[in-house]
Amino acid sequence: MASCYFNPIPTSSHLISADLSTKFKIPKLLHRKKRFGALSRSSKITAYYGLKTPPYEHDALEPYMSKKTIDIHWGEHHRNFIEGLNKQLGKDDILYGYTLDELVKVTYNNGNPSAEFNNAAEVWNHDFFWESMQPGGGDMPILGLLQQIEKDFGSFTNFKEKFTEAALTLFGSGWVWLVLKREEKQLAIVKTSNAICPIVWGDIPIINLDLWEHAYYLDYKNDRAEYVNVFLNHLVSWNAATERLTWGEAFVNLGEPKIPVA
């Protein structure tokens, strides 16, 4: 069962200070009033963010992604990001009470990431990655999502080629994403280095692919091209992508086609 994020509200009776606003350049919408409480500031809170489990058994993506890869990737790398983030938050209660989305945006600090950003963003990215895949995935999207891809990329084949090119030309480690651009009102492919997540720019992610070497080395060695090919043809969850694009339409008027098409 997937664990829920637990964001405890601190019991100290203070607002986010002007010093913190300067440190993180926190947008006004993210200023959060803290609850008043009777406990002292020294009270110890031991739970912050929980480790979410993938929405399938660890062997469910075989033979395209092995149980061993997921055991290590999720059970060690993803867990380490959660534990690292919680240790950082345990040193100060200033960032308590934020959703993970808010925490990523605040700690990105307008392009000057704080120490907490890498862990927070990698937790967000990994949660999204596991849910971007499904057993029996791949193939082609259907109905409205396919029409939107064809509208914005010319064809589904063009989309796959551009996604693959982005993945293979990303220098070093990072991620490749299909996102919905709010201002442009269309889908686009973006690549990000290290922990960067497109929500810091206001993009709405639809799918992502982890391009850190630990994501594929056990199964594909250094053959990133084969890993990307397998992801697109056998792993990617177009069901999840359709749901995310449907949600995105609440914020971006795409015109026609509507997602999903009945």
Side-chain angles (χ1 to χ4, degrees), residues 1-5 50-54 74 78 82 127 130-131:
M1 178 179 295
S3 59
C4 296
Y5 288 130
L51 179 65
K52 292 177 66 176
T53 57
W74 175 81
H78 189 172
I82 281 281
D127 286 341
W130 301 125
E131 294 171 4

Side-chain angles (χ1 to χ4, degrees), residues 140-209:
M140 292 179 64
I142 60 173
L143 302 177
L145 175 57
L146 177 59
Q147 292 177 47
Q148 191 65 46
I149 288 174
E150 291 174 337
K151 177 182 176 182
D152 294 334
F153 294 98
S155 70
F156 183 64
T157 298
N158 285 345
F159 157 74
K160 290 177 67 175
E161 290 176 352
K162 290 180 180 296
F163 191 93
T164 300
E165 179 184 11
L168 298 185
T169 57
L170 175 69
F171 180 77
S173 299
W175 304 79
V176 63
W177 309 74
L178 175 66
V179 302
L180 176 60
K181 293 281 187 179
R182 294 176 187 260
E183 295 299 322
E184 295 86 345
K185 298 183 179 181
Q186 65 181 26
L187 296 172
I189 295 167
V190 298
K191 50 187 177 181
T192 62
S193 295
N194 300 319
I196 301 296
C197 174
I199 66 171
V200 301
W201 306 314
D203 292 343
I204 299 173
I206 305 300
I207 59 172
N208 72 343
L209 176 60

Side-chain angles (χ1 to χ4, degrees), residues 8-260:
I9 306 284
T11 54
S12 56
S13 59
H14 67 281
L15 297 174
I16 293 179
S17 67
D19 288 343
L20 179 66
S21 297
T22 299
K23 175 183 177 183
F24 287 112
K25 300 179 182 177
I26 298 175
K28 290 182 179 179
L29 289 176
L30 294 184
H31 282 219
R32 184 182 299 274
K33 186 174 181 180
K34 310 291 183 162
R35 288 182 183 173
F36 290 82
L39 297 178
S40 69
R41 186 179 176 87
S42 62
S43 297
K44 185 176 180 60
I45 300 176
T46 57
Y48 308 105
Y49 291 96
L51 179 65
K52 292 177 66 176
T53 57
Y56 35 75
E57 297 299 324
H58 289 197
D59 62 355
L61 301 183
E62 291 187 334
Y64 306 108
M65 183 173 290
S66 66
K67 179 179 183 296
K68 184 176 182 180
T69 286
I70 296 181
D71 285 346
I72 294 175
H73 191 174
W74 175 81
E76 295 183 15
H77 293 282
H78 189 172
R79 184 182 299 276
N80 286 341
F81 290 126
I82 281 281
E83 293 177 351
L85 176 61
N86 288 337
K87 286 179 182 178
Q88 289 170 318
L89 297 181
K91 298 176 183 178
D92 200 324
D93 70 1
I94 290 176
L95 293 173
Y96 288 171
Y98 287 93
T99 66
L100 190 58
D101 289 48
E102 291 171 337
L103 186 62
V104 169
K105 294 172 184 177
V106 168
T107 57
Y108 182 65
N109 195 24
N110 295 323
N112 298 290
S114 70
E116 295 85 358
F117 174 75
N118 284 334
N119 282 322
E122 284 294 337
V123 171
W124 199 103
N125 294 350
H126 278 86
D127 286 341
F128 198 84
F129 174 58
W130 301 125
E131 294 171 4
S132 290
M133 298 182 290
Q134 69 177 60
D139 201 5
M140 292 179 64
I142 60 173
L143 302 177
L145 175 57
L146 177 59
Q147 292 177 47
Q148 191 65 46
I149 288 174
E150 291 174 337
K151 177 182 176 182
D152 294 334
F153 294 98
S155 70
F156 183 64
T157 298
N158 285 345
F159 157 74
K160 290 177 67 175
E161 290 176 352
K162 290 180 180 296
F163 191 93
T164 300
E165 179 184 11
L168 298 185
T169 57
L170 175 69
F171 180 77
S173 299
W175 304 79
V176 63
W177 309 74
L178 175 66
V179 302
L180 176 60
K181 293 281 187 179
R182 294 176 187 260
E183 295 299 322
E184 295 86 345
K185 298 183 179 181
Q186 65 181 26
L187 296 172
I189 295 167
V190 298
K191 50 187 177 181
T192 62
S193 295
N194 300 319
I196 301 296
C197 174
I199 66 171
V200 301
W201 306 314
D203 292 343
I204 299 173
I206 305 300
I207 59 172
N208 72 343
L209 176 60
D210 190 343
L211 293 174
W212 286 74
E213 198 171 65
H214 62 245
Y216 59 91
Y217 188 80
L218 288 177
D219 294 328
Y220 300 100
K221 303 304 179 187
N222 62 346
D223 193 346
R224 181 183 284 190
E226 180 61 16
Y227 167 63
V228 176
N229 177 67
V230 165
F231 174 78
L232 289 173
N233 290 302
H234 301 288
L235 293 175
V236 62
S237 175
W238 294 122
N239 293 331
T242 297
E243 293 176 2
R244 291 160 175 172
L245 189 57
T246 302
W247 180 85
E249 279 200 302
F251 305 93
V252 180
N253 181 7
L254 294 174
E256 296 294 338
K258 293 295 183 182
I259 311 297

